[in-house]
Amino acid sequence: MARRVRRPRGSTRVLGLRVYRAAVLIGIFAGIYSMLQAERTRTDRPITLREVRQHAPAASRLTRDARHPGSWQILAEDDALLGRALRTSPLADDVIGYAGPTDTLVILDGQDRIEILALRRSEDTPGHVADVVADAAFWSQWTGRAVDEVVEESLRFDAVSGASKTSRGILRGVQRRLALEARGDDDVSQGLSWTAWDIVLVALAIVGGVLRWLERRLGRWARWVYRALSFLVLAMITGDVLALSLFGAWAENGLPWRETLGVVVLAASALLWPLWTGRSVYCSDVCPLGIAQDAAGHVHRRLGWIPRWQLRPESGLGWMLGMLPGFLLVTAGIAVCLALSLDLANLEAFDVVAWPNARAIAVGLAVVGVAASLFVPKAYCRFGCPTGSLLELVRTPHRGARLRWRDGVATLFLILVWTLGEQRALLESWLREGPW
Amino acid sequence: MNAAEKIERRRPRLAIRLVAVLMLTGLGLAILWPSLRDAKRRVLLDATLRELELGLERHRGLEGTLPSDPLLPASELIWLLRQSGALEAAPINPYTGARYGEDPFELDQIWYSPNESGETWTLEALSEDGERVVTSRRSSTGE
């Protein structure tokens, strides 16, 4: 006799909630993307004479180069041709290094050899960009190279250590722009630039979810081995930790799947696992800070003499601290929507993986967070992590799933994003007239 | 314990929660405030550049040519445009919030330069730290 499979009660409601939460999140990201793309088109920044003079002091004026659309001839006072100036934006705006595109100034000499390569502006992670700017060897390796030589896809060059994706993005942008200059086409950047570490990150994302299902069969040791591997890869080698600054940059510039597939898959799994299973695999088993806090809790249990405090949500302090990550998330969301100059990496501790180039605020938050978790379980995750709050937004367990106040806030935010996108004039007048 | 007593017991907690929400909102505003000031300056700058662009177009229409000086600060450009009748009122200086010309020692970080005689120009604005550059360009061909 065939066994009857009982359909769990409320499964339609759970499915509806999952679809609703996924739709709200996608709607927010799509709204921010469409709004900021329109803003970017409006605030284009062409090459200026003053800018060219910083690198070529003899430049007297710029004149449009009729043979090469989008490039400018640099003329001396006696109208002698000094070279040409061009930039990678807007042609290469879809080349995203780690988190955003970079506009690079290229100055060619009279023989079409690169004389100067300089960063104009970048929407990539500020820390990575600063590393690239400071690396004189990265920029000087281009000097004297012919345009034809640079657009060769087999070209080997040295990336900047610790900012390899950002520097690779700059290279691909320059190659694409110079390919248009040399051959009249720009198909250089259509290829993929995945590395072995992207494959490792994809494997980590998949194995993490599978391990959660097989945990009872394999035992706790398998989970700890997986955690140790995740910590090693994310914190010590690649530094590819999910953070608000990354999600904000992706909402602004689109997903860099051609450049960093591993991080995109890791982020997708971090959102999909809690959405479909109710378990936040990323926070507990992949995030280096989550692992460090669990290890601190383990140390506490082994030592035994350290006092353990439970901050109850009913207490005023517990309730306020519990709300803090959500408030930080909303603050970050507003900053991204309004294209404010707030560096989101300063709101959380994840920049600590960029050690020794990490920001002091991130190091401080990480140290305090891990130390606090000796006394209060998962202190940073519960009371300080806005990225965790974003992932928590979509977490829908099989049982007991219901609409929460977070859903209301997310829906309001979705409406706000799309309204702001349609009412730019109103937003500008509000920004102009505000008391700040 | 009846319902009224329960509500009575909750009251202090509700007050604490309200205070907590106010404190967190204050924290959020404190985080956003400096970048909101930046955004205000950016929006003002954008509006001023647009006014100057319109003034330059009108000047070309009236005089048949653009101001020919190789590099002009905004205050001098505005004086020229007002002399020719291309600009009725001085725009707001985004760096001070006052109208151009009101302060004799005003901060002037917008520069005008014609790229080609009578065809294109550049309006370049430096941020207060002197690093970020915002530019604007128009030409008779609409580029």
Side-chain angles (χ1 to χ4, degrees):
Chain A
M1 194 172 118
R3 230 176 117 189
R4 285 183 62 191
V5 179
R6 286 184 62 188
R7 194 185 166 96
R9 239 185 278 171
S11 62
T12 313
R13 190 182 62 183
V14 173
L15 181 69
L17 262 179
R18 284 174 179 155
V19 172
Y20 176 71
R21 285 173 181 165
V24 167
L25 201 66
I26 291 169
I28 289 174
F29 273 80
I32 293 174
Y33 180 75
S34 104
M35 181 165 74
L36 296 183
Q37 286 300 309
E39 178 71 9
R40 176 184 291 166
T41 312
R42 212 167 56 84
T43 56
D44 190 24
R45 295 176 179 182
I47 296 171
T48 64
L49 179 61
R50 178 191 289 254
E51 182 186 2
V52 172
R53 272 187 183 153
Q54 286 173 0
H55 308 286
S60 173
R61 63 191 185 96
L62 298 178
T63 177
R64 201 174 300 281
D65 188 341
R67 289 184 304 120
H68 300 278
S71 75
W72 296 82
Q73 290 183 332
I74 307 169
L75 301 176
E77 206 157 348
D78 58 355
D79 277 357
L81 181 67
L82 297 173
R84 286 192 293 135
L86 43 107
R87 62 179 182 136
T88 56
S89 182
L91 180 76
D93 277 354
D94 60 339
V95 180
I96 300 167
Y98 183 65
T102 299
D103 187 11
T104 312
L105 174 73
V106 185
I107 295 182
L108 305 172
D109 65 12
Q111 283 77 45
D112 269 3
R113 290 182 175 275
I114 293 179
E115 195 172 325
I116 297 288
L117 207 65
L119 189 136
R120 300 188 76 224
R121 81 191 266 249
S122 179
E123 289 169 37
D124 214 316
T125 319
H128 293 160
V129 175
D131 288 347
V132 176
V133 170
D135 193 325
F138 172 76
W139 300 100
S140 63
Q141 66 185 320
W142 306 79
T143 313
R145 285 184 187 265
V147 170
D148 294 337
E149 190 187 347
V150 174
V151 298
E152 284 298 320
E153 294 191 29
S154 57
L155 173 73
R156 290 279 171 269
F157 79 105
D158 297 324
V160 177
S161 171
S164 54
K165 289 183 175 108
T166 302
S167 51
R168 250 201 316 269
I170 291 172
L171 166 81
R172 286 157 62 82
V174 171
Q175 276 186 312
R176 187 165 176 187
R177 180 65 186 84
L178 292 183
L180 182 69
E181 205 68 7
R183 308 197 294 242
D185 65 63
D186 60 336
D187 62 349
V188 169
S189 69
Q190 299 305 315
L192 309 170
S193 62
W194 302 340
T195 64
W197 291 113
D198 283 302
I199 309 301
V200 171
L201 290 179
V202 172
L204 275 178
I206 295 168
V207 172
V210 175
L211 266 184
R212 265 323 209 19
W213 268 321
L214 299 178
E215 191 182 358
R216 284 186 187 165
R217 287 188 196 172
L218 293 174
R220 291 175 68 86
W221 65 269
R223 194 171 163 200
W224 275 106
V225 168
Y226 174 76
R227 286 174 166 192
L229 273 175
S230 300
F231 191 88
L232 182 73
V233 173
L234 266 64
M236 316 291 252
I237 300 173
T238 65
D240 291 326
V241 178
L242 300 185
L244 277 189
S245 51
L246 196 66
F247 284 115
W250 288 357
E252 193 176 338
N253 304 307
L255 289 177
W257 62 273
R258 279 201 187 107
E259 289 84 5
T260 58
L261 177 78
V263 192
V264 173
V265 172
L266 193 66
S269 75
L271 288 164
L272 287 175
W273 284 122
L275 182 71
W276 291 102
T277 66
R279 294 171 170 186
S280 189
V281 177
Y282 177 82
C283 288
S284 57
D285 293 345
V286 184
C287 173
L289 267 178
I291 296 168
Q293 288 174 89
D294 263 355
H298 196 66
V299 168
H300 172 269
R301 281 193 294 277
R302 291 296 290 266
L303 293 177
W305 50 266
I306 303 176
R308 202 67 161 164
W309 298 321
Q310 289 293 342
L311 268 175
R312 289 182 186 168
E314 295 82 29
S315 71
L317 183 64
W319 191 83
M320 187 174 90
L321 288 177
M323 296 283 283
L324 182 60
F327 263 80
L328 288 177
L329 180 63
V330 171
T331 303
I334 291 171
V336 172
C337 281
L338 302 185
L340 299 182
S341 55
L342 179 69
D343 188 353
L344 301 186
N346 285 332
L347 295 183
E348 52 188 0
F350 298 116
D351 193 50
V352 72
V353 296
W355 181 266
N357 299 323
R359 293 170 176 79
I361 193 165
V363 176
L365 282 171
V367 169
V368 170
V370 174
S373 60
L374 277 169
F375 306 97
V376 180
K378 289 270 199 177
Y380 179 74
C381 291
R382 289 164 59 203
F383 305 124
C385 181
T387 300
S389 189
L390 176 69
L391 302 182
E392 180 68 19
L393 205 64
V394 292
R395 195 171 71 82
T396 314
H398 291 302
R399 291 179 186 171
R402 59 187 166 78
L403 273 174
R404 296 170 297 180
W405 62 268
R406 292 164 203 264
D407 294 306
V409 174
T411 309
L412 278 177
F413 198 76
L414 174 72
I415 295 168
L416 179 78
V417 166
W418 283 97
T419 309
L420 285 182
E422 297 298 317
Q423 303 288 335
R424 289 303 294 180
L426 189 71
L427 175 66
E428 280 186 10
S429 102
W430 180 72
L431 279 173
R432 199 171 49 233
E433 306 299 334
W436 24 83
Chain B
M1 188 186 298
N2 61 30
E5 281 173 332
K6 275 185 186 172
I7 290 169
E8 194 61 34
R9 280 174 70 90
R10 275 187 187 175
R11 259 189 196 145
R13 238 171 50 197
L14 185 67
I16 289 171
R17 287 181 183 201
L18 277 174
V19 170
V21 167
L22 282 175
M23 284 172 70
L24 288 171
T25 308
L27 176 70
L29 272 175
I31 291 170
L32 290 176
W33 201 265
S35 40
L36 280 168
R37 278 169 57 190
D38 275 352
K40 180 178 188 170
R41 199 175 302 122
R42 196 182 63 215
V43 170
L44 280 174
L45 183 61
D46 205 30
T48 303
L49 286 175
R50 263 180 281 175
E51 277 192 61
L52 290 179
E53 282 169 7
L54 279 174
L56 282 165
E57 277 298 341
R58 281 196 209 109
H59 182 90
R60 196 203 322 252
L62 290 165
E63 306 281 323
T65 177
L66 288 168
S68 56
D69 305 62
L71 202 60
L72 271 181
S75 50
E76 289 181 29
L77 174 67
I78 289 164
W79 184 82
L80 268 176
L81 295 179
R82 292 188 73 184
Q83 287 292 308
S84 68
L87 208 59
E88 284 178 10
I92 289 174
N93 184 337
Y95 303 98
T96 61
R99 289 201 177 272
Y100 273 100
E102 286 181 0
D103 180 0
F105 303 105
E106 66 191 348
L107 191 63
D108 199 351
Q109 299 209 72
I110 300 180
W111 294 82
Y112 158 83
S113 55
N115 288 44
E116 287 176 73
S117 178
E119 283 185 27
T120 65
W121 71 77
T122 302
L123 286 169
E124 189 173 346
L126 298 181
S127 68
E128 281 186 344
D129 55 13
E131 286 180 0
R132 274 190 303 149
V133 181
V134 180
T135 58
S136 169
R137 184 195 304 274
R138 290 286 186 279
S139 75
S140 53
T141 53
E143 286 181 62

